[in-house]
Amino acid sequence: MRIGELSERTGTPRRLLRYYEEQGLIVADRLPNGYRVYDESNVDRVAQIRGLLDAGLPTRIIKQILPCLNKPRIIHFPDATPEMLATLEEERDRMTERIRFLTRNRDAVAEYLVAVREKLAAGSA
Amino acid sequence: MRIGELSERTGTPRRLLRYYEEQGLIVADRLPNGYRVYDESNVDRVAQIRGLLDAGLPTRIIKQILPCLNKPRIIHFPDATPEMLATLEEERDRMTERIRFLTRNRDAVAEYLVAVREKLAAGSA
DNA sequence: CTTGACCTTCACATCAATGTGAGGGTTCGA
DNA sequence: TCGAACCCTCACATTGATGTGAAGGTCAAG
């Protein structure tokens, strides 16, 4: 498929698909006329990228961890340098931290909402 | 305490403390000479803000949910407009989504690391 | 052959979170 | 009274993720 279809199917502006490519997050083949061509796998990949971005990870980190997140559970080890592993561990811990924090705050917000609803119910009763 | 101490105790650049104030996330009293003064509660508050920022929430949303996250479990209801409640619900759901996504990916990264370690152990054995 | 819907690159704009520094007051101790 | 260590505001710079548009190539259908 070309960029327009991928854009529609992932709900991602073309501009960003090009940007992700520029950042090395996705790769596109080219038709003889220069048009980008994508295969199915890119749909999932873009979704993954967007999710990670939305989760607050910067593209340069996403670039590092993406290869470890392949669907086929065949972990193909890229040049797994020690520093890269260190980065990954850091990032894993950062994610864990984030999850903890986010969960705490989500729960607080949720509790608040419940409390407000009760208040409202009591008030209107 | 003045801005310098708060900065040190929260590990946050002064610049950002002023920025958070500008964004309405924290409030500071002023000494007669114009210096900002903070009390203890601001230390936690800043930590909270930084955590939420790090979790990917923009300041304008943080501003909305902060009032619902007070330590003393006395939920004091601000002008809880219906739209604000709607925003909060949306944000709660967004956070939940984020947590889910983040968890999945964190686990994937973690698994990857374990696999690599095993590989390395096998190789060196 | 032209029109319209694609695609390309390039480049400038924006927004939020930050960095950085200029220019200038206050306070306190040597 | 001078210097160091604070504080202030103002304002421009930067970075990452985006928006937007110009100038132009490709291609299928009328």
Side-chain angles (χ1 to χ4, degrees):
Chain A
M1 83 193 80
R2 282 170 306 173
I3 202 171
E5 188 179 341
L6 183 60
S7 168
E8 267 191 22
R9 291 183 53 188
T10 59
T12 308
R14 289 145 228 257
R15 169 73 176 86
L16 288 189
L17 295 176
R18 300 199 184 99
Y19 174 68
Y20 298 155
E21 179 177 340
E22 187 184 306
Q23 300 303 310
L25 302 185
I26 52 181
V27 186
D29 279 346
R30 296 295 182 125
L31 293 175
N33 61 14
Y35 288 14
R36 290 171 178 80
V37 259
Y38 305 90
D39 58 26
E40 281 298 314
S41 70
N42 283 291
V43 177
D44 279 354
R45 190 163 176 106
V46 170
Q48 191 106 24
I49 291 168
R50 304 224 88 197
L52 289 169
L53 277 174
D54 185 65
L57 302 192
T59 53
R60 80 172 185 291
I61 297 295
I62 296 179
K63 190 176 170 182
Q64 303 245 314
I65 75 181
L66 260 187
C68 325
L69 265 37
N70 285 331
K71 283 294 160 193
R73 279 292 76 194
I74 306 133
I75 300 173
H76 68 6
F77 299 81
D79 42 355
T81 68
E83 4 157 278
M84 176 180 159
L85 292 183
T87 302
L88 281 182
E89 287 189 348
E90 264 176 46
E91 209 49 41
R92 178 201 54 194
D93 295 344
R94 244 175 96 68
M95 289 167 101
T96 301
E97 263 316 289
R98 238 178 255 241
I99 290 166
R100 228 201 309 274
F101 198 90
L102 219 39
T103 303
R104 255 211 315 279
N105 283 285
R106 193 266 323 263
D107 291 349
V109 171
E111 275 171 33
Y112 173 84
L113 283 169
V114 168
V116 173
R117 295 260 174 268
E118 273 169 15
K119 203 94 176 180
L120 287 182
S124 76
Chain B
M1 84 193 78
R2 283 169 306 172
I3 203 172
E5 188 179 340
L6 183 60
S7 168
E8 267 190 22
R9 291 182 55 186
T10 59
T12 307
R14 288 145 228 256
R15 170 71 175 87
L16 288 189
L17 295 176
R18 301 198 183 99
Y19 174 68
Y20 298 155
E21 179 177 339
E22 187 184 305
Q23 300 304 309
L25 303 184
I26 52 181
V27 186
D29 280 345
R30 296 295 181 124
L31 293 176
N33 60 14
Y35 289 13
R36 291 171 176 80
V37 258
Y38 304 90
D39 58 26
E40 280 299 312
S41 70
N42 284 290
V43 177
D44 278 355
R45 189 161 177 108
V46 170
Q48 192 108 22
I49 291 167
R50 304 225 86 196
L52 289 169
L53 276 175
D54 185 65
L57 301 192
T59 53
R60 78 172 187 290
I61 297 296
I62 296 179
K63 189 175 171 182
Q64 303 245 316
I65 75 181
L66 260 186
C68 326
L69 265 37
N70 286 331
K71 283 293 161 193
R73 279 292 76 192
I74 307 133
I75 301 175
H76 68 6
F77 299 79
D79 43 355
T81 68
E83 5 157 276
M84 178 181 158
L85 292 183
T87 301
L88 281 181
E89 286 190 348
E90 264 175 46
E91 207 50 40
R92 178 200 55 192
D93 295 344
R94 245 177 96 68
M95 290 166 100
T96 301
E97 264 315 289
R98 236 180 257 243
I99 289 166
R100 229 201 308 275
F101 198 91
L102 219 39
T103 302
R104 256 212 313 280
N105 283 286
R106 193 264 324 260
D107 291 349
V109 170
E111 274 171 34
Y112 173 84
L113 283 168
V114 168
V116 172
R117 295 259 174 268
E118 273 169 14
K119 203 97 176 177
L120 287 182
S124 76

